[in-house]
Amino acid sequence: MREIFMQELAQVGEDLQRMSRLVIDAIEKASTALQTADLQLAEQVIRADEQIDEIERSLDEQCISLLARQAPVATDLRVVIAALRMSATIERMGDLARHIAYVARGRYPEVAPSPAMQEIFAQMGEAATKVAHQVSDLLATRDLELAAGVERDDDALDALHKQTFTILLDPEVEMTKQQMVDGVLLGRYFERFGDHGVSVARRTSYLVTGDLTNSVARDDAAGER
Amino acid sequence: MREIFMQELAQVGEDLQRMSRLVIDAIEKASTALQTADLQLAEQVIRADEQIDEIERSLDEQCISLLARQAPVATDLRVVIAALRMSATIERMGDLARHIAYVARGRYPEVAPSPAMQEIFAQMGEAATKVAHQVSDLLATRDLELAAGVERDDDALDALHKQTFTILLDPEVEMTKQQMVDGVLLGRYFERFGDHGVSVARRTSYLVTGDLTNSVARDDAAGER
């Protein structure tokens, strides 16, 4: 019985990894589409999100069926519950990549960010892609160094997010209203992407170390200005 | 055994209701604080959010301990999993109310929204408060009429959210950059609040009817413009 449980759990872990690889792809392409006004790439991201959603649904069913059939002990139970939560979080990362792709598509053939913000969104795209890579590697290897890396890159994203407001509010910087609106939304999408990455990293750390401290969903402090 | 399970489950249900009542309070006060630049009210919302977070943590522990000790059958299991997810969602609604309060506090003694947007945010505040009330009543009564009400009010929120962009992008409307930034963020906070309300409503409907269709987290279509 225990062996079957472990096998099924391994399958759940593989599905989480598969989701996370799709999210790497999504955020990488969404960031590129945003910088280069690449309509086809943006549409690819939008279409591919359906796949991520599909894995999430299947993962949920697997987890619930696993819990129902195997009556796991408390420790295993926590693993399955954590997996359920991680799948929801990774799915949300996919949504945020899709939102970035929507902005890229919506402004085509223009590049969405104003010239004053292109560099910062390129940096946010890079940091977010790094977060996604580290989350995926962390899920595969459970190497806690990677969890620390996710936290650092999220800190970088938060700092960049603060900078977006400095540019957005700078009276010297000229921007259209559309560029202002897009700038605010894009900043928030990237920042939330990082928060969710941290949430997955913390849950993974918790599974490895059993230390619940900080294993909660990361809240955003975006409003706190 | 079954009786204990049902008792503990009832406790979980009560805690969810308690959270939802705190969220009503939070969104109502945050909206008022926003409209009236009421610093004390905003700070009350910010402080009170800790209580919501606390109930969420305790609910999570209850659910996991319940699953570990009672080895529930598949149907009960789904109820507990749904409760876990609902607590995370209701907690997030509290966060969003807090974010609105941060904006109100950040602009004090000014009223944060530009004159052109005050009416629309008053309406969004009203619709969001209605969502919170209906979610809370739904959790208490499981009256599915209320679930339909949540969907309707969320549709209203989405429509108002679209209108915020019309005003934000209107070349005739004069706004400071700070008012633009706040307008975009506030619109998004209210809109997400409604999405999460729908997510709780759908999960409750699922628990009552067993119909999984639409019982998933509501995605936002904010980027799709």
Side-chain angles (χ1 to χ4, degrees), chain A residues 60-61 64 68 77-78 84-85 92 98-99 102 168 170 173 177 185 192 219-220 223-225, chain B residues 60-61 68 77-78 84-85 92 98-99 102 168 170 173 177 185 192 219-220 223-225:
Chain A
D60 282 8
E61 281 312 305
I64 289 176
L77 190 65
R78 284 180 190 274
L84 269 171
R85 287 178 162 160
R92 186 75 197 141
R98 178 163 51 84
H99 287 345
Y102 281 139
L168 285 161
D170 187 339
V173 173
K177 290 186 164 195
L185 289 175
R192 289 297 291 157
D219 184 25
D220 56 295
E224 241 172 316
R225 286 170 295 111
Chain B
D60 282 7
E61 281 313 303
L77 190 65
R78 283 181 190 272
L84 270 170
R85 287 179 162 160
R92 187 74 196 140
R98 179 164 49 87
H99 288 344
Y102 280 138
L168 285 161
D170 186 338
V173 173
K177 289 185 164 194
L185 289 176
R192 289 298 291 158
D219 183 27
D220 57 295
E224 242 173 316
R225 285 170 297 114

Side-chain angles (χ1 to χ4, degrees), chain B residues 70-87:
Chain B
Q70 309 284 351
V73 297
T75 324
D76 296 337
L77 190 65
R78 283 181 190 272
V79 178
V80 181
I81 301 280
L84 270 170
R85 287 179 162 160
M86 285 197 269
S87 86

Side-chain angles (χ1 to χ4, degrees), chain A residues 17-33 41-42 44-49 51-52 93-94 97-98 101 125 128-130 132-133 136 193:
Chain A
Q17 287 169 47
R18 197 148 58 91
M19 274 181 98
S20 70
R21 285 193 298 269
L22 290 170
V23 166
I24 295 175
D25 207 49
I27 192 69
E28 212 158 31
K29 286 183 175 156
S31 305
T32 306
L41 205 56
Q44 223 174 301
V45 175
I46 293 163
R47 273 197 310 273
D49 190 50
Q51 248 182 297
I52 300 175
M93 292 171 87
R98 178 163 51 84
T129 303
K130 228 170 127 193
H133 270 286
S136 186
F193 187 94

Side-chain angles (χ1 to χ4, degrees), chain B residues 52-120:
Chain B
I52 299 176
D53 296 354
E54 188 53 46
I55 305 177
E56 190 206 10
R57 280 190 290 270
S58 134
L59 249 171
D60 282 7
E61 281 313 303
Q62 274 180 71
C63 286
I64 289 175
S65 137
L66 203 159
L67 288 175
R69 286 177 299 107
Q70 309 284 351
V73 297
T75 324
D76 296 337
L77 190 65
R78 283 181 190 272
V79 178
V80 181
I81 301 280
L84 270 170
R85 287 179 162 160
M86 285 197 269
S87 86
T89 306
I90 298 172
E91 189 271 331
R92 187 74 196 140
M93 292 171 85
D95 286 346
L96 290 164
R98 179 164 49 87
H99 288 344
I100 294 165
Y102 280 138
V103 177
R105 183 175 74 174
R107 300 307 149 253
Y108 176 85
E110 303 288 322
V111 172
S114 76
M117 301 199 81
Q118 283 169 12
E119 174 57 26
I120 202 157

